[in-house]
Amino acid sequence: MDDAPPSRATQPGYFPSVFQDSRNLRSRWDSGAEQHLRHVEKDVLIPKIMREKARERCSEQVQDFTNCCKESGILMVVKCRKENSALKECLTAYYTDPAFYEECKMEYLKEREEFRKTGIPTKRRLQKLPTSM
């Protein structure tokens, strides 16, 4: 029984097909699967962009609510209902707009593609680099 040839799994340099397939993962990303979104992208990353952009577009309502809260202190729950309702209405209008979702999705896909090309996240790419040292 000791004369049996060793199995492929015990041979050096052998990788199961799972690992061999993953070596080509980068080229598969670059091909037709570019528009595919993972769960975390759909449910976390794109909604994050939506929240940021909606806050920018509802800046007047955000500012009104912020000022009301600063002026009211502890009583802000009662005194700032009107401002809070206006803010919620504005944000909800953006959150439920399919065109706005598509706009944010395209922005995310553009950032993702740029990251895959350069390996540099958007935040770092946008920071100014020192010109002299």
Side-chain angles (χ1 to χ4, degrees):
M1 303 242 168
D2 292 333
D3 295 334
S7 69
R8 286 189 67 197
T10 59
Q11 294 176 354
Y14 171 74
F15 293 100
S17 63
V18 172
F19 295 115
Q20 291 173 348
D21 290 342
S22 66
R23 290 179 185 171
N24 296 325
L25 189 58
R26 180 77 175 165
S27 64
R28 279 188 269 158
W29 275 349
D30 294 340
S31 62
E34 191 63 38
Q35 296 297 320
H36 176 72
L37 292 172
R38 296 174 296 147
H39 167 73
V40 71
E41 293 171 322
K42 288 179 190 173
D43 297 340
V44 177
L45 299 174
I46 293 174
K48 180 181 176 186
I49 293 172
M50 290 176 72
R51 280 191 303 276
E52 292 169 357
K53 290 185 92 152
R55 278 194 198 119
E56 289 173 10
R57 294 181 182 187
C58 296
S59 62
E60 183 179 322
Q61 289 86 348
V62 170
Q63 192 62 43
D64 291 344
F65 181 68
T66 303
N67 291 337
C68 180
C69 289
K70 286 179 181 177
E71 294 168 2
S72 302
I74 296 174
L75 299 174
M76 71 179 163
V77 175
V78 177
K79 288 188 173 183
C80 300
R81 285 185 181 164
K82 183 179 87 176
E83 289 84 354
N84 188 25
S85 295
L87 176 58
K88 275 199 243 180
E89 189 176 308
C90 181
L91 293 174
T92 304
Y94 283 110
Y95 295 158
T96 57
D97 182 13
F100 183 66
Y101 176 82
E102 286 300 316
E103 177 185 333
C104 294
K105 176 181 164 185
M106 295 311 294
E107 180 180 326
Y108 173 76
L109 289 172
K110 182 179 169 188
E111 289 176 9
R112 183 178 77 172
E113 181 182 348
E114 191 64 30
F115 173 76
R116 287 180 178 174
K117 285 180 184 175
T118 64
I120 302 171
T122 304
K123 288 182 181 180
R124 286 192 185 161
R125 206 172 340 108
L126 296 177
Q127 291 175 347
K128 291 184 178 180
L129 297 174
T131 55
S132 63
M133 297 204 177

